[in-house]
Amino acid sequence: MNEQTRKTEAFIEAHALGPKQIETANLVSAFLSEMELGLVDEERSSLKMIATYTSVVDSLPVDTPVIVIDAGGTNLRSCLVSFDAAGKPIVSDFRKTSMPGVKEEVSSEEFFSALADCCEHLIEQSDQIGFCFSYAAKIHSNRDGVPLIFSKEIKAPSVIGMPVGASLLAELARRGYDVSKKRIAVLNDTVATLLAGVSAQNELPYSGYIGFILGTGTNTAYVESNEKIEKLELPQGSQIINVESGGFSYCPGSVDRAYFDSTEHPEHYLLEKMISGAYIGPLSHAVITHAIEANLFSEGFAQRFADLKTLSTAEMSNYLEMPFNSEYVLVSCVAENEADAHTLWLLIDSLIGRAAKLTAASLAATVIKQGVGKDPRHPVLINADGTTFYKTENLQRYTDYYLYEYLTLERGYHYRFTQIADSPTIGAAIAALGV
């Protein structure tokens, strides 16, 4: 090991910036403790463990059409979905438009009018509606959802606190439709991702399902026994829990603390800020800046890097993927200095490796909490969605490595990853079949 590599690895170790500094067993234990606490009192836990009142069905009705509305990001989609005898989804009458409130602030009347416009062409074709609402919302026992806050540039403040399902039906009724038999299931995208895994159940007799998203943000969902959800009075049975896993409170070191302090809510969603697409690029910028201050790079690199105000996750990933492509900003910063190039690669790869180990720990805790998957013939199916997970160089590969190492080899749980296209649409359709 040359002196530059030794200095770089010492820096990584001192600030807990790599996977070697993460003790998986301890992290999983802490995660499980927060999950247990969140089921009792979410105000005392960094994991909200939100009840969804949605269960996993054993089988899907064949050729039963349901209406699906998918409000995600800045797009609003609607379609008709049914399932064939093999559980394959059949999507028809698809329509897409912009979410109301993207360009300018809208009133609640304008908001629900836009939703009604999007699905009105389908309203006579089914009494069951699945509404994937990818914004923070509290789900009530009647499966309706009340928005808590809008993100992703949506400007509709008067909608906050209104039940979106009932309000949509009220607008359709105002237009003259008989909505007396209409039933709506509102759910978020992670819960929908879990339910979409059910459509793959004919591949193997899976023992359980996990929904996992690692994109702009991150989250997991799993199935919990109602008797364990002590914060609510519930009948016997089980339901899907929206973990809000990105909220897990964990700070490995001083560089992370400094970065957290630079964000809008320094004490919230710490796990998300170390692994998700919205944050890991800017975090890498902060790490490289600290490394420059520790004299790990040449003066030339420091000068060129100073022109970069931040880094995107794609830009940091591009360096690992093609470290000799001069069109990439970080390759340009290196300017063919071999020592700088190697140091930069070690730092970024360590951050990706750490993100993977953190991701694996959260997934391992979620599988263990569900308590299934001990029989290798009946693994847990993890339906994984999100461009950060699939597109960030090495992240998926490292995550699978660390998850297998701990969850399977050490703890004896078995799992499979899958990626089901259009998971929010499929999951929302399955949810609709349960109302």
Side-chain angles (χ1 to χ4, degrees), residues 170-310:
E171 171 58 22
L172 290 166
R174 190 191 67 79
R175 298 184 181 194
Y177 294 100
D178 179 7
V179 299
S180 60
K181 295 182 180 179
K182 304 294 182 185
R183 300 290 181 267
I184 297 184
V186 178
L187 67 166
N188 85 344
D189 51 356
T190 311
V191 176
T193 298
L194 183 153
L195 286 172
V198 177
S199 67
Q201 63 181 325
N202 290 313
E203 298 175 8
L204 273 180
Y206 295 110
S207 57
Y209 301 90
I210 301 291
F212 166 54
I213 291 180
L214 182 49
T216 303
T218 190
N219 196 11
T220 55
Y222 77 106
V223 178
E224 182 60 271
S225 170
N226 283 349
E227 65 181 4
K228 298 289 184 66
I229 310 172
E230 296 182 22
K231 61 187 176 183
L232 299 172
E233 293 185 7
L234 299 167
Q236 290 186 346
S238 62
Q239 64 179 281
I240 299 171
I241 292 292
N242 169 14
V243 177
E244 289 294 323
S245 61
F248 181 64
S249 184
Y250 176 68
C251 180
S254 60
V255 175
D256 294 292
R257 183 70 266 168
Y259 173 66
F260 296 156
D261 289 342
S262 74
T263 62
E264 187 173 355
H265 302 288
E267 300 302 327
H268 299 284
Y269 279 78
L270 303 191
L271 178 66
E272 185 166 281
K273 291 174 182 177
M274 292 184 286
I275 71 175
S276 75
Y279 295 102
I280 193 171
L283 172 61
S284 71
H285 184 276
V287 168
I288 295 166
T289 299
H290 278 81
I292 290 171
E293 295 170 355
N295 298 315
L296 290 182
F297 290 99
S298 69
E299 290 187 11
F301 178 91
Q303 292 171 358
R304 289 183 289 272
F305 188 79
D307 292 333
L308 304 178
K309 302 306 179 184
T310 188

Side-chain angles (χ1 to χ4, degrees), residues 19 51 58 113 251 253-254 273 281 370 396:
D58 294 327
S113 180
C251 180
S254 60
K273 291 174 182 177
Q370 188 160 329
Q396 180 185 1

Side-chain angles (χ1 to χ4, degrees), residues 359-380:
T359 301
S362 70
L363 285 171
T366 307
V367 172
I368 292 168
K369 186 68 180 70
Q370 188 160 329
V372 293
K374 282 288 190 176
D375 186 339
R377 301 170 303 156
H378 301 276
V380 176

